[in-house]
Amino acid sequence: MSAKRMPDSHLATDRDTTPAWPARVAERWRGIGLSLIVVVATVWLGVTGQLGLYIHPRYFGFTLVMAVLGLAFVVASFFFPALAATEPAARSSRRRLLLSVAGSGVLLVIAAVTVLALPPATLTSATATQREINSGGLDTTEAAEQAATLVGTGDYERLSVKEWVSLLAQSDDPALFADKTASLTGFVLPDADDPDNVFYVARFVVTCCAVDAQPIGVPVYLPGWSNNYSTDDWVEVTGTFTPNPSGTAQASLAVEPTTIDAVEQPSDPYVY
Amino acid sequence: MHTDRGSIRRVPTGLIVGIVLVALAFTVRALSPAFEGWGLSDRTQDTVTLALSVIIESAPFVFLGILLSTVVQVWLPHGFLLRFLPRQPILRRAAISLLGMFFPVCECGNVPLARGFMVGGFTVPESITFLLAAPILNPITIITTHQAFGFGDGILITRIVAGFVIANVIGWLYSRHPDPDSLLTPSFAASCARPTGAGADHDHAHDHGRPQSKVQTSVDLFARETAVIMPALFVGSLVAALTQVFVPRSVLLALGSNPVWSVLAMMALAFIVAVCSNVDAFFVLSFGNTFMPGGIAAFLTFGAMIDVKMLALMRTTFTTRTLVQITALVALMSAAAGLLLNYVG
């Protein structure tokens, strides 16, 4: 944008020389349209109990209240006419106007397809492999304390992936884990170093929203596991801990499975 | 989408169209999961999921910011806050840099506000101070940064202190300028000299022409603010998600674990993705495990003040030369803050 253009563009906001109507329509409805899409999707996810696929439960209330308020504004903006004045930003050339109109249209279509049409989904192993497993996201001390209270009851099968991971983070002494049966539900994630013999029963830990999800998991030793199960399958594994027979995998302990059952993905796939 | 001209003539069908569109969106959303088999690859699917999580997490904060700023701009008496500012220039700028506490819209919303302030009697350096400080020193930014990072690693404190210092140092530098009006674009300088020409600013809209109802002005403000913020939020979220899914982890780790490169890389990212300061903490959270705290702090400081979208908005008010100077100054000081945190913190 050249400096010479600026005076015209500023004056243009005053009256008759307002930009062509497609640019005005784009300017007026771009934000409202995108808000409508997000607000509707949020309310729907909230009503159908799937908001947890994207954000931490502590935000549910706030997010839904603001979404309903946003919806009120969106509907109201259809009722009230636009005020005459528009922002003087980038009002210069025809090409720029065209770009703004086209950009708004493309963005609205992309938003409608991805936010409204695509089925909601949990994160997959693609993100898990991109982030190192058991490397963060979990306050292991706090989780281990919770686990310790459960361990006190002797009911090891009630411990979840999260609790086993935090216990394993505290100690990998085989004697501590001997004779303890674990029953774990999670998705199948191949071990990075020994993908043929070891897979993780994995979950994502979410701190704020799915973007900060960190994979955690308990290693399972089963040579040739991929003949029967595929990555991202949800399984329930029962078995006992042994020193990991794999020579290459990092984890020193692994579960030797007695049963592996395919299960449905839980309605709340993340842990917090 | 085509109700614009209709609603200008106050045809009540606008409301019906609005409700129909909302109902249509709900219908599409409710029916679409029945059609499986989009056949997306895991990576594409995760890109959408990650982008969507940033958008859904951020949107309520965007709405809250617009709501609060609407209350101040439309529902409080005009110039209400400006009466309480001290007269001594340095104290006055320090107070102005905290005005964002009452105008918690991120940087995009602050440009029109700063223009309004200048027309209403702020000096140019004072508006620059407001423009730079308000995106960081406002309650929503502070809350979201705290939600994302807590007080750990000194990220929140660095962001707040650096934001305050940078805004005031740059305001002070420009207060030494012999002719501050030359920092402005000629057209905007002219409209400052002739206050009635500022028809484009929200808080003056009611000064001339037909009086508008406050509700109508509020709704209009919502349309304008979302028109600027929502596209930036969508594009920013998509860039964030694509970076997460497609840039190899080894590259991120190599950059992020180096005290200098972590700062420079995050500042470059902040400049490009242009996520609003209200919600950029959620965006950058995904880099929290790979990047050093100084890089995160530099992202949160630099990106809140300067980015591609912000420069485009500020170009309506300031000359290119001024913007280059401000950008360079903010970049240097943000980098310094980040490096300090990496090496000392």
Side-chain angles (χ1 to χ4, degrees), chain A residues 147-170:
Chain A
T149 38
L150 280 172
V151 169
T153 66
D155 198 0
Y156 299 107
E157 293 198 26
R158 279 180 54 202
L159 295 185
S160 67
V161 169
K162 177 184 164 187
E163 279 128 11
W164 281 115
V165 167
S166 44
L167 287 174
L168 288 166
Q170 306 284 314

Side-chain angles (χ1 to χ4, degrees), chain A residues 59 85 118 124 127 130 214, chain B residues 29 46 147 224 247 249 289:
Chain A
Y59 294 109
L118 276 182
T124 71
T127 299
Q130 180 77 343
Q214 290 293 331
Chain B
R29 180 65 283 190
D46 278 6
Q147 290 279 339
R224 283 158 199 257
V247 176
R249 188 181 156 78
N289 277 305

Side-chain angles (χ1 to χ4, degrees), chain B:
Chain B
M1 290 297 117
H2 303 291
T3 55
D4 188 46
R5 286 186 295 179
S7 59
I8 280 173
R9 279 185 270 112
R10 274 187 179 279
V11 179
T13 48
L15 188 62
I16 297 165
V17 172
I19 292 171
V20 167
L21 273 177
V22 170
L24 190 71
F26 269 113
T27 314
V28 169
R29 180 65 283 190
L31 293 182
S32 61
F35 305 102
E36 293 293 342
W38 285 75
L40 296 181
S41 73
D42 275 4
R43 286 180 161 213
T44 317
Q45 179 64 64
D46 278 6
T47 307
V48 172
T49 306
L50 291 172
L52 216 55
S53 81
V54 177
I55 292 169
I56 290 176
E57 175 81 58
S58 308
F61 288 100
V62 168
F63 293 149
L64 180 65
I66 293 174
L67 223 63
L68 289 178
S69 125
T70 304
V71 167
V72 174
Q73 290 185 57
V74 181
W75 298 88
L76 288 185
H78 183 55
F80 179 74
L81 292 163
L82 306 189
R83 283 179 222 149
F84 307 106
L85 292 175
R87 301 216 170 264
Q88 203 279 333
I90 289 181
L91 289 179
R92 188 174 163 89
R93 279 195 301 272
I96 284 171
S97 59
L98 300 178
L99 267 187
M101 287 294 176
F102 305 96
F103 299 91
V105 173
C106 53
E107 58 266 39
C108 356
N110 282 330
V111 173
L113 211 55
R115 293 164 59 89
F117 281 154
M118 256 189 279
V119 174
F122 270 32
T123 67
V124 178
E126 283 168 359
S127 323
I128 294 176
T129 301
F130 171 75
L131 213 50
L132 295 179
I136 293 179
L137 299 174
N138 81 60
I140 297 196
T141 305
I142 293 173
I143 289 170
T144 52
T145 312
H146 179 259
Q147 290 279 339
F149 293 104
F151 288 104
D153 301 329
I155 290 171
L156 177 60
I157 301 298
T158 307
R159 180 177 211 192
I160 292 173
V161 173
F164 182 82
V165 170
I166 293 172
N168 281 281
V169 166
I170 293 181
W172 174 76
L173 280 175
Y174 279 109
S175 73
R176 321 289 292 172
H177 196 285
D179 180 17
D181 279 354
S182 69
L183 303 169
L184 303 176
T185 58
S187 59
F188 185 65
S191 67
C192 284
R194 176 174 55 87
T196 46
D201 298 298
H202 318 319
D203 37 352
H204 289 265
H206 57 271
D207 287 351
H208 44 86
R210 292 180 310 282
Q212 311 285 356
S213 88
K214 287 191 172 183
V215 177
Q216 189 179 345
T217 314
S218 308
V219 171
D220 205 59
L221 211 55
F222 177 82
R224 283 158 199 257
E225 296 276 312
T226 52
V228 181
I229 299 171
M230 294 306 278
L233 178 63
F234 268 80
V235 174
S237 307
L238 197 61
V239 171
L242 288 170
T243 321
Q244 290 295 312
V245 175
F246 289 98
V247 176
R249 188 181 156 78
S250 52
V251 173
L252 291 178
L253 265 176
L255 282 174
S257 54
N258 179 300
V260 177
W261 281 111
S262 67
V263 170
L264 296 181
M266 285 315 267
M267 282 172 59
L269 186 67
F271 188 79
I272 298 165
V273 298
V275 184
C276 289
S277 65
N278 280 349
V279 290
D280 57 1
F282 296 134
F283 166 90
V284 81
L285 190 59
S286 54
F287 295 90
N289 277 305
T290 37
F291 276 73
M292 293 182 71
I296 308 284
F299 175 98
L300 293 172
T301 309
F302 180 65
M305 300 182 174
I306 303 285
D307 57 50
V308 277
K309 168 201 67 195
M310 186 63 177
L311 287 181
L313 288 175
M314 286 164 80
R315 188 64 189 77
T316 60
T317 310
F318 298 99
T319 62
T320 307
R321 189 186 151 84
T322 315
L323 289 184
V324 170
Q325 288 170 354
I326 294 179
T327 305
L329 287 167
V330 175
L332 283 175
M333 285 190 271
S334 308
L339 292 172
L340 198 71
L341 184 62
N342 272 351
Y343 281 109
V344 182

